[in-house]
Amino acid sequence: MGRSGGISRRSVLKAIPAAGFAAAMDEALTGQRATAVTAAFPQPAVCTSRSVPGSASPPVVAGTLDVRFTDVSVPGYGPVTTRTYNGTIPGPTLRVRGGDVLRLTHINGLPPNAPHTGGHNAPHHANSFNLHTHGMHVRPSGHADNVLREFAPRTAEQAAAGAPEPRYETTIHVPADHPAGTYWYHPHLHGSTAEQVLGGMAGVIIVEGDIDEIPQIEAAADIVVCINELKFKDGKVPAFTSGGWTTGIPSTFTVNGTVNPTLHLRPGEVQRWRLVAATAFTALRLQVTGDRGNLTMHQIAQDGVTFARPVAQDLVDLAMGNRADVLIRGGTPGRYELRDRTVPGPLMTIEVAGEPVEPPMALPVSLPQGRPFLDERDIANPDADREVVFHTDAGAFTGAFPNAFRILGSHPTPAAHAGDDLTRDPAYGLFDPGHTNHTLTLGTVERWTVRTDETMPAHSHPFHLHTNQFLLTHRNGERLDPPVWYDTIGLDGGTPGDRVTFLVRYEDFTGHTIAHCHQLHHEDLGMMQAVHYVEP
């Protein structure tokens, strides 16, 4: 069994019915990667692949994600009742390799949904969910990474009649050449995403591969640092019932389910931290500070894609949904803290102590670059750039949700009332599942410009494109050298607001999916566009 991330086994037992407990845990906790991490630092349980000896079939990572309200004790915070995967915050870590099959059974043990009569760009179906494997290059349709599916709970009539809790299946074939790195999963049903992620529904996906075989990295302890942003009031996540939904409720930040856990690091020891920003509202600017100076983070990957060489960083920026793999080497003994400039307390504490490692563990000089760079000469049509503009019309509507969170630019959703005041239009620039904003042809390379016209720096709109990662080439007009692969990029407001340019090649998979703001409150209220990947 894997460790439960600081959340007691009693919570898990209470969360999963007795008849399903053994099966759920046997599937979800099939293995635990050994590391040199002290047992005092929480790590999520781990689900790994199982291959059949003598079989030509690909290895399968099989598990159950059981979702229901759970009484959870969050160390450093206290008891809460919230929706969880398998009774823990975060859910189990899923470890796969290129060529594996990820096969998950989802149990919806949540209560029936309340009736909903409003539009689709309003909170609804809080007890339905689905699964998004954020950042992974996998099929976006069928029973794979399909965020247009709905895993609904029993209806009130079915629950009263004693019908079994519904089960849903996800089967994802991981491409053999999938970049090795750190990804994550979370629910993504439009209208319920923010409330569920803020309650702790998230988990880490690790794709193993060539980078893990670099001797200096293989020798380092491999540590998941999943940063969850939680919003609790009176021991639970408040229902998303107004535009000011969580105003006045401070965020609680946990690392692997614990407020400010302590990690031990010996002088001269190198550890690999997989930093995951499983946040819905807050972008993070991370640094490791101490009374005797800072510890340098040697970044080796961004959003799952390995760099060509480590990059020494004092600060690592993570928008909501970003990941960064970093190598940390213990230096002068003492107490250090992983901190963000906007979070009052430390996210975690690092104690550098113990017998020094002599000689100090080495850092790699070069790395197997995760994806080759794109070339602007490969752009299919240089005169047809796509533009995305994040725009908010404050006070556009009456009722509980007065603000309109729109995506404008070159392909906005059409207005419902052409010629009228577009600032108050109920459809213009808002998500419409029946309208395709972007038709993207496989094999082509295109250039996108994404910007925000927000004027306040604190207002952030991270852009996330599903299925295909993109190569960031410019930020605010400045060329990046070298460019960096992302699947989510943060854009802060200002005068002017942030502006980025990237290249993207649409590869391998057709189907309908989405691009959206990863400030999940905004996404649930309509700051999203429909994308259709098509054959040439």
Side-chain angles (χ1 to χ4, degrees), residues 212-290:
D212 306 296
E213 298 165 3
I214 300 299
Q216 298 90 341
I217 294 175
E218 190 174 30
D222 192 337
I223 301 170
V224 167
V225 180
C226 184
I227 304 168
N228 288 88
E229 179 180 19
L230 311 172
K231 292 275 190 182
F232 296 133
K233 182 178 181 180
D234 299 326
K236 60 184 180 180
V237 181
F240 192 175
T241 56
S242 72
W245 169 41
T246 59
T247 301
I249 302 175
S251 295
T252 296
F253 293 90
T254 61
V255 169
N256 301 337
T258 297
V259 175
N260 188 22
T262 297
L263 176 66
H264 294 279
L265 177 65
R266 294 166 61 192
E269 178 191 1
V270 172
Q271 295 178 351
R272 176 188 188 176
W273 296 355
R274 298 179 184 267
L275 301 170
V276 179
T279 59
F281 289 172
T282 303
L284 302 172
R285 169 163 273 197
L286 301 177
Q287 59 181 331
V288 183
T289 66

Side-chain angles (χ1 to χ4, degrees), residues 455-492:
T455 57
M456 296 185 64
H459 289 183
S460 178
H461 295 296
F463 173 82
H464 176 43
L465 176 65
H466 285 216
T467 309
N468 289 283
Q469 292 157 323
F470 51 83
L471 184 68
L472 192 71
T473 60
H474 295 77
R475 178 179 277 280
N476 297 327
E478 297 292 328
R479 179 177 287 275
L480 277 65
D481 184 19
V484 180
W485 286 100
Y486 285 86
D487 56 59
T488 307
I489 187 68
L491 296 104
D492 292 335

Side-chain angles (χ1 to χ4, degrees), residues 137-150:
H137 179 61
V138 295
R139 189 162 63 104
S141 57
H143 285 190
D145 183 33
N146 186 348
V147 299
L148 304 180
R149 299 174 71 194
E150 178 179 355

Side-chain angles (χ1 to χ4, degrees), residues 302-319:
Q302 175 68 45
D303 284 0
V305 180
T306 306
F307 293 167
R309 61 188 56 82
V311 177
Q313 308 271 36
D314 290 323
L315 295 167
V316 170
D317 289 316
L318 298 180

Side-chain angles (χ1 to χ4, degrees), residues 314-375:
D314 290 323
L315 295 167
V316 170
D317 289 316
L318 298 180
M320 301 76 113
N322 279 148
R323 290 89 55 218
D325 285 30
V326 300
L327 299 177
I328 298 283
R329 183 160 55 194
T332 304
R335 177 188 176 94
Y336 300 82
E337 294 175 340
L338 179 68
R339 299 195 69 102
D340 168 75
R341 58 186 174 178
T342 64
V343 177
L347 295 168
M348 72 180 194
T349 296
I350 302 96
E351 294 283 357
V352 178
E355 188 70 23
V357 176
E358 295 291 353
M361 294 173 64
L363 298 170
V365 175
S366 62
L367 300 166
Q369 185 170 322
R371 290 178 64 93
F373 293 147
L374 298 176
D375 194 312

